[in-house]
């Protein structure tokens, strides 16, 4: 989202004040605007596929008076840009920040979050000619966009400037000396600003505000790194005598105050009541119908989306592929005269949808086939802008695109948006849906479920999409693998003292002892000192383990990288690897040189790695004793070895062969959530002892698939293990662990909302219409055991037994007058 756009559209234009449902004046030149309800009826003709239709009603904006402290000149400038008065949430957040409170504003796309932080920042810089402010964006591109936006409204003597890796050295000196608003990113604060903080002394001494934009992007291990960069920044500021106010902006997420507080290590107040206007949307949830295997020999090539699973093939009933369904809906919408944008997850998928749509139209309405195109990364910027323009003018009627972030800011106002699968987070869902609709006219948005447990759950539980946001951004600054290196960095910036320890959290003292024992730090009476010459190396965006480069053997071209953690499973010798939608076969994986040599090839089989995993429990941090069930959170040691891979025919799913692999075992020390259940409780639930492994395994798969519902991760960030008897727990056990050294906070979040998470898991399995399990419920695309054994019906029984036990434990706890179990607080 271009910030200028955000700033402007989030504000009450005169026209917007007068929005009215009866106002047809913004009707496009092409004439008729398809009524969404009517259009939806035509799209679904004869197919039983809608699980829910939600009318997201139009919201009128709530403008309020300017806060008294906003200088007259700034108001005048904003008025000149069409801003008459701020929306209520902008004024509320600005007021809090002005009064010295740390604040996070968490409201919808294009709600004008930037004005919320520019009001206090520009007012302060205007009132004090020496004051400074820092703006952090997750990417260089966003900071550059912000410069354009703020440049238009900032007083001349603020001299806003970008400071990032591309800033020429000769310019950096100027930025340090003269810019009073510096726009940068966390990487640059870590690599460029903190190590040379003495050269920034004047700027830091006068620092009044730190703006952290798009703060929901700081999640998982990356988020934990950024949390410590911010703590180091706060510590250095304190040395120079300043204590800036933090102003954060986030997409709508669960618990914004909690996440923001964790990110900056301070108490942050959330402003979430969105006062900006919004057009109405008719939102349809669509589940592709089942069909028989006989007629879909081409299904394989159509589901050639890295995210789709092939495991369904060979089952008795399978669903129409998501890409096929997307193409059908797109073709029908175009045939009905609706300008439609379809979002597809992979580049290859976007091409496939566009060509299937053209083929479908070719038969029905031949002259429309040319008015559908694909849109993806890799096209030149000008070409992409032209495609957008053509869609806006109606020259093009259908566009199949990869993801929203690549799109230009002007592309708002199509008649319908089709989402080919849940885009992963509610924030992206609303961002993509937000492309639909012009002015006061309602638009249509259709979400087509993919064949996986999360999508299936969502189309059957609209309250998870349209109710309060359930997913919270998760990060874990206490991860010792993250905290240790940052303590070393902090020590190079200025010796660490006892007074610094609370800033870095409970585990800091213990980790310092270890760093001293390892010879990295030295303890002296005045504090801890870094012993090395240079600085400790930290890759803020790395996920642990050396990443593997994917190189095309014939040309030496670097295609990309995969992180070390998943390399064995994805780019082993012989693997068919999809990179940005293109297909490659791996000739050799060289672990010593961290390189996978590949050649472009599109064989008619796919490859599936098989692995063996073992796990030992290192320590238990939290536990709930629920009688026959135990719920745990703690540290585990996972050993995983990829041992072979299967080649499967794409069209039929038939296994061609299984080939051995010679790869070393790998160890991962991380955090996990696990539950145990007694054999007696399993028997009472009616599960035959022989079916226990399949019951636990199926429950584990579905639980991993549903974890993104409660934490912003995807299923590839987490792993699992289930066993009918585990040596460390002495009971049937299901483990779900973070796939990053030291953990990323996902398993911890799962523990705290265990009841909510497992109830959703149970619902996802039981509401699936398949007989014996499918990718929509208990199959996993990443199962190292070929999805065997799995028992769908018994998984529901296991989860019922676990949930019952947790509920009774809560009742007992409250009857005994004890504190309500925190993790069960969401049960009622
Ligand atoms: Zn199923
Ligand atoms: Zn499995």
């Amino acid at each position: 989202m271009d910030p200028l756009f955000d700033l402007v559209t989030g504000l009450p234009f005169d026209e917007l004040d007068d929005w009215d449902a009866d106002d047809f004046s913004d009707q496009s030149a092409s004439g008729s605007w398809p009524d969404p309800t009517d259009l939806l009826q035509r799209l679904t003709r004869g197919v039983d596929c809608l699980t829910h239709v939600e009318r997201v009603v139009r919201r009128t904006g709530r403008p309020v008076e300017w806060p008294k402290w906003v200088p007259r000149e700034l108001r005048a400038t904003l008025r000149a840009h069409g801003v008459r008065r701020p929306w209520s949430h902008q004024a509320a957040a600005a007021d809090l920040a002005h009064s010295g409170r740390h604040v996070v504003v968490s409201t919808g796309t294009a709600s004008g979050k930037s004005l919320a932080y520019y009001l206090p920042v520009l007012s302060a810089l205007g009132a004090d000619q020496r004051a400074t402010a820092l703006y952090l964006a997750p990417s260089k591109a966003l900071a550059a966009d912000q410069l354009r936006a703020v440049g238009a409204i900032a007083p001349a003597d603020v001299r806003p400037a970008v400071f990032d890796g591309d800033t020429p050295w000769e310019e950096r000196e100027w930025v340090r000396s003269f810019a009073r608003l510096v726009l940068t990113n966390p990487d640059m604060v870590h690599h460029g600003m903190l190590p040379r903080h003495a050269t920034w002394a004047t700027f830091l001494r006068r620092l009044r505000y730190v703006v952290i934009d798009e703060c929901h992007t700081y999640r998982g291990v990356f988020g934990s790194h950024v949390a410590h960069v911010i703590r180091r920044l706060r510590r250095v500021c304190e040395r120079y005598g300043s204590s800036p106010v933090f102003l954060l902006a986030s997409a709508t997420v669960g618990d914004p105050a909690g996440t923001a507080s964790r990110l900056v290590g301070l108490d942050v107040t959330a402003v979430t009541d969105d006062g900006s206007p919004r057009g109405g949307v008719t939102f349809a949830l669509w589940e592709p119908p089942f069909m028989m295997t006989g007629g879909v020999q081409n299904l394989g090539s159509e589901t050639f989306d890295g995210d789709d699973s092939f495991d369904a093939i060979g089952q008795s009933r399978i669903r129409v592929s998501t890409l096929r369904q997307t193409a059908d809906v797109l073709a029908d919408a175009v045939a009905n005269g609706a300008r439609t944008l379809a979002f597809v997850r992979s580049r290859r998928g976007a091409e496939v949808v566009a060509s299937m749509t053209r083929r479908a139209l070719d038969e029905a309405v031949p002259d429309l086939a040319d008015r559908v195109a694909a849109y993806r990364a890799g096209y030149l910027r000008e070409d992409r802008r032209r495609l957008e323009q053509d869609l806006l003018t109606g020259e093009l009627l259908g566009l199949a695109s990869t993801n929203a972030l690549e799109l230009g800011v002007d592309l708002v106002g199509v008649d319908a948006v089709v989402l080919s699968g849940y885009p992963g987070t509610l924030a992206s869902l609303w961002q993509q849906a937000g492309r639909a609709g012009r002015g006061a006219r309602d638009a249509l948005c259709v979400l087509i479920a993919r064949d996986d447990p999360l999508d299936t759950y969502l189309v059957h539980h609209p309250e998870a999409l349209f109710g309060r946001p359930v997913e919270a951004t998760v990060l874990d600054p206490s991860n010792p693998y993250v905290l240790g290196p940052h303590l070393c960095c902090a020590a190079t910036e200025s010796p660490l003292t006892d007074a610094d320890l609370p800033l870095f959290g409970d585990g800091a003292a213990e980790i310092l002892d270890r760093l001293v024992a390892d010879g990295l730090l030295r303890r002296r009476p005045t504090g801890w000192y870094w012993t090395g010459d240079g600085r400790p190396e930290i890759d803020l965006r790395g996920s642990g383990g050396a990443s593997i480069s994917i190189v095309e053997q014939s040309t030496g071209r670097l295609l990309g990288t995969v992180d070390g953690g998943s390399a064995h499973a994805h780019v082993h010798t012989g693997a068919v690897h999809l990179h940005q939608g293109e297909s490659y076969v791996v000739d050799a994986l060289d672990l010593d040189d961290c390189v996978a040599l590949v050649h472009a090839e599109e064989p008619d089989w796919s490859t599936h790695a098989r692995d063996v995993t073992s796990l030992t429990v290192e320590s238990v941090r939290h536990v709930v004793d629920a009688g026959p069930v135990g719920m745990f959170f703690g540290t585990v040691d996972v050993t995983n070895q990829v041992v072979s891979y299967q080649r499967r025919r794409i069209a039929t799913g038939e296994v061609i062969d299984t080939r051995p692999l010679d790869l070393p075992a790998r160890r991962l020390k991380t955090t996990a959530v696990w539950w145990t259940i007694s054999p007696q409780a399993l028997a009472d639930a009616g599960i035959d002892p022989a079916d226990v492994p399949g019951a636990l395994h199926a429950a584990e798969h579905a639980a991993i698939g549903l974890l993104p519902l409660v934490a912003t991760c995807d299923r590839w960030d987490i792993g699992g293990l289930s066993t009918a008897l585990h040596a460390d727990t002495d009971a049937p056990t299901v483990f779900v662990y973070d796939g990053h050294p030291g953990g990323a906070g996902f398993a911890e979040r799962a523990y705290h909302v265990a009841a909510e998470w497992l109830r959703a898991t149970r619902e996802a399995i039981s509401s699936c219409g398949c007989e014996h399990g499918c990718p929509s419920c208990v199959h996993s695309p990443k199962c190292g055991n070929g999805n065997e054994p799995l028992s769908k019906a018994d998984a529901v029984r296991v989860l019922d037994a676990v949930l019952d036990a947790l509920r009774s434990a809560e009742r007992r706890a409250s009857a005994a007058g004890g504190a309500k179990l925190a993790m069960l607080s969401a049960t009622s």
Side-chain angles (χ1 to χ4, degrees):
M1 183 56 55
D2 185 303
L4 185 58
F5 173 78
D6 182 37
L7 184 67
V8 172
T9 54
L11 295 165
F13 283 108
D14 296 350
E15 305 88 84
L16 294 184
D17 280 351
D18 303 321
W19 264 18
D20 190 311
D22 298 325
D23 179 11
F24 287 76
S25 61
D26 66 344
Q27 211 163 336
S28 62
S30 73
S32 66
W33 175 286
D35 173 72
T37 315
D38 193 40
L39 178 60
L40 185 61
Q41 242 162 28
R42 292 191 219 177
L43 296 182
T44 53
R45 229 174 357 193
V47 194
D48 178 21
C49 49
L50 292 188
T51 57
H52 181 80
V53 177
E54 179 92 6
R55 282 256 311 139
V56 181
V57 295
R58 190 168 65 92
R59 182 179 62 207
T60 40
R62 271 178 286 130
V64 297
E65 292 307 318
W66 292 104
K68 297 253 178 315
W69 46 265
V70 176
R72 201 146 19 107
E73 307 78 54
L74 183 56
R75 290 184 211 186
T77 310
L78 290 168
R79 268 204 205 93
H81 282 81
V83 182
R84 294 200 317 187
R85 282 176 299 163
W87 301 120
S88 55
H89 65 280
Q90 295 171 324
D95 261 333
L96 282 166
H98 178 74
S99 69
R101 300 264 290 277
H102 309 291
V103 57
V104 58
V105 51
S106 170
T107 50
T109 307
S111 60
K113 289 190 273 283
S114 23
L115 190 71
Y117 50 75
Y118 281 134
L119 280 180
V121 168
L122 294 180
S123 298
L125 300 196
D128 175 355
Q129 302 302 308
R130 293 147 51 93
T132 61
L134 189 63
Y135 167 93
L136 302 182
S139 72
K140 285 193 275 193
L142 188 60
D145 281 348
Q146 276 291 327
L147 179 63
R148 265 183 292 149
V150 72
I153 53 170
D157 65 358
V158 168
R159 296 179 291 273
V162 165
F163 180 74
D164 64 23
D166 297 339
T167 311
W169 282 98
E170 55 277 18
E171 220 174 288
R172 293 183 182 196
E173 177 57 42
W174 184 91
V175 174
R176 279 194 293 264
S177 310
F178 298 107
R180 292 203 293 132
L181 173 59
V182 171
L183 303 109
T184 183
N185 53 61
D187 310 68
M188 202 57 188
V189 173
H190 167 69
H191 291 293
M193 195 175 261
L194 291 173
R196 291 170 208 87
H197 59 81
T199 63
W200 286 88
T202 311
F203 181 88
L204 293 171
R205 189 174 298 126
R206 299 166 175 177
L207 190 60
R208 295 282 301 279
Y209 285 104
V210 177
V211 174
I212 304 179
D213 206 357
E214 307 282 350
C215 69
H216 56 277
T217 56
Y218 303 122
R219 65 181 186 87
V221 176
F222 175 49
S224 309
H225 277 297
V226 172
H228 285 298
V229 171
I230 293 167
R231 281 159 181 72
R232 284 162 46 210
L233 174 67
R234 286 177 46 207
R235 175 171 171 263
V236 167
C237 284
E238 204 181 297
R239 295 276 189 284
Y240 291 113
S242 66
S243 58
V245 170
F246 284 80
L247 255 160
L248 301 96
S250 159
T252 43
V253 292
D255 192 21
T259 314
S261 301
R262 221 170 181 192
L263 183 64
V264 299
L266 296 161
D267 270 344
V268 179
T269 307
V271 172
T272 56
D273 189 8
D274 195 333
S276 66
R278 183 185 62 192
V281 182
T282 296
F283 211 123
L285 305 183
W286 184 304
E287 184 173 47
F290 279 110
M291 58 191 295
M292 306 312 288
T293 28
V296 289
Q297 288 309 306
N298 290 328
L299 181 118
S301 59
E302 290 168 8
T303 51
F304 214 66
D305 179 337
D307 303 308
D308 278 4
S309 163
F310 298 99
D311 290 343
I313 304 159
Q315 301 295 311
S316 56
R317 296 171 82 209
I318 55 169
R319 293 185 188 279
V320 174
S321 91
T322 315
L323 294 185
R324 169 87 262 165
Q325 190 82 93
T326 304
D328 288 347
V329 171
L330 182 56
D332 277 353
V334 166
N336 278 287
R339 278 180 234 165
T340 307
L341 181 57
F343 286 105
V344 186
R345 289 181 44 132
S346 75
R347 192 161 140 171
R348 172 72 188 273
E351 301 277 11
V352 168
V353 165
S355 76
M356 284 197 290
T357 306
R358 280 195 294 262
R359 247 190 334 239
L361 284 170
D362 228 0
E363 289 163 18
V365 207
D367 26 318
L368 287 181
D370 287 345
R371 296 173 71 183
V372 173
Y375 178 108
R376 58 166 171 81
Y379 290 172
L380 292 174
R381 188 185 160 84
E382 305 84 81
D383 292 341
R384 289 194 272 138
R385 294 294 165 265
R386 205 197 57 239
L387 286 170
E388 289 173 10
Q389 211 46 48
D390 287 353
L391 185 64
L392 286 179
T393 57
E395 192 74 22
L396 268 181
L397 282 172
L399 199 57
S401 167
T402 44
N403 80 56
L405 298 174
E406 297 164 8
L407 292 169
V409 296
D410 301 331
L411 189 45
V412 181
V414 295
D415 302 335
V417 165
V418 181
L419 310 182
S420 186
Y422 179 61
T425 62
L426 285 172
S428 336
L429 177 95
W430 290 114
Q431 185 160 25
Q432 296 184 358
R435 300 287 180 174
R438 265 172 286 178
R441 306 303 307 269
D442 276 16
L444 177 66
C445 185
V446 180
L447 168 63
I448 298 178
R450 280 181 310 147
D451 217 358
D452 82 19
L454 181 59
D455 281 33
T456 306
Y457 178 83
L458 290 172
V459 295
H460 289 285
H461 293 82
E463 73 280 4
L465 291 172
F466 304 109
R468 81 197 156 85
V470 288
E471 74 207 2
T473 306
V474 164
L475 59 136
D476 178 15
S478 71
N479 179 340
Y481 293 84
V482 174
L483 176 52
H486 283 281
L487 287 172
C488 292
C489 283
T492 66
E493 284 147 17
S494 146
L496 279 162
T497 65
D498 284 317
D500 291 323
L501 297 191
L503 179 66
F504 292 100
D506 290 341
E510 193 185 317
I511 291 172
L512 280 174
D513 288 345
R514 209 180 313 152
L515 293 170
V516 170
D518 292 347
L520 292 168
L521 296 182
R522 181 174 303 144
R523 176 94 214 235
R524 291 194 194 142
T526 47
W528 286 268
Y529 288 77
W530 170 245
T531 59
D533 292 332
R535 280 167 49 78
E537 283 285 323
I538 304 181
D539 177 5
L540 298 190
R541 295 177 195 250
S543 55
S547 61
I548 303 283
S549 305
I550 304 170
V551 174
E552 192 170 44
Q553 189 153 20
S554 58
T555 60
R557 188 162 63 103
L558 175 67
L559 300 171
T561 57
V562 287
D563 69 63
S566 63
H568 291 206
H570 292 298
V571 293
H572 58 76
T573 302
V576 176
H577 180 67
L578 293 177
H579 185 74
Q580 298 199 331
E582 309 291 337
S583 173
Y584 297 89
V585 173
V586 179
D587 298 316
L589 169 61
D590 183 336
L591 291 171
D592 293 330
D593 287 340
C594 295
V595 65
L597 296 169
V598 305
H599 67 272
E601 189 189 334
E602 216 165 284
D604 68 346
W605 65 80
S606 57
T607 54
H608 303 257
R610 312 291 295 257
D611 60 11
V612 288
T613 300
S614 64
L615 179 156
T616 55
V617 174
E618 292 254 308
S619 66
V620 173
R621 288 196 221 165
H622 303 292
V623 60
V624 171
D625 177 357
V629 167
M631 183 65 66
F632 301 83
F633 171 71
T635 310
V636 295
D637 205 329
V638 183
T639 303
N640 174 273
Q641 185 169 23
V642 174
V643 291
S644 63
Y645 69 100
Q646 278 188 343
R647 296 193 304 156
R648 289 189 216 153
R649 200 71 70 194
I650 287 174
T652 60
E654 163 208 357
V655 175
I656 302 170
D657 56 11
T658 301
R659 300 181 166 194
L661 287 168
D662 183 22
L663 288 164
R666 284 164 311 155
R667 283 182 64 189
L668 172 71
K669 198 167 156 181
T670 184
T671 51
V673 55
W674 65 95
W675 71 86
T676 58
I677 177 163
S678 73
Q680 186 57 50
L682 289 170
D684 292 348
I687 301 169
D688 192 274
D691 294 329
V692 167
L696 298 175
H697 190 201
E700 171 217 322
H701 279 184
I704 290 174
L706 267 291
L707 188 51
L709 187 68
V710 293
T712 50
C713 57
D714 71 45
R715 70 189 298 161
W716 303 94
D717 286 330
I718 37 192
L721 177 79
S722 55
T723 166
L725 178 66
H726 192 273
D728 295 334
T729 63
D730 206 22
T733 311
V734 174
F735 293 91
V736 173
Y737 56 86
D738 284 353
H740 304 278
F746 305 128
E748 186 181 3
R749 167 82 184 161
Y751 172 83
H752 287 293
V753 293
E756 185 186 339
W757 169 45
L758 295 182
R759 203 172 36 246
T761 303
R762 185 229 179 264
E763 285 302 309
I765 303 174
S766 68
S767 67
C768 185
C770 72
E771 262 176 73
H772 301 296
C774 72
S776 297
C777 54
V778 298
H779 284 202
S780 164
K782 53 179 277 197
C783 182
N785 214 35
N787 280 306
E788 279 171 8
L790 290 175
S791 169
K792 179 185 171 183
D794 288 327
V796 175
R797 295 188 185 106
V798 168
L799 290 165
D800 278 339
V802 171
L803 288 163
D804 272 352
L806 292 177
R807 259 192 298 271
S808 319
E810 187 189 22
R811 269 199 298 274
R812 277 197 305 277
S814 51
K820 193 171 160 78
L821 298 175
M823 53 154 283
L824 296 175
S825 57
T827 40
S828 51

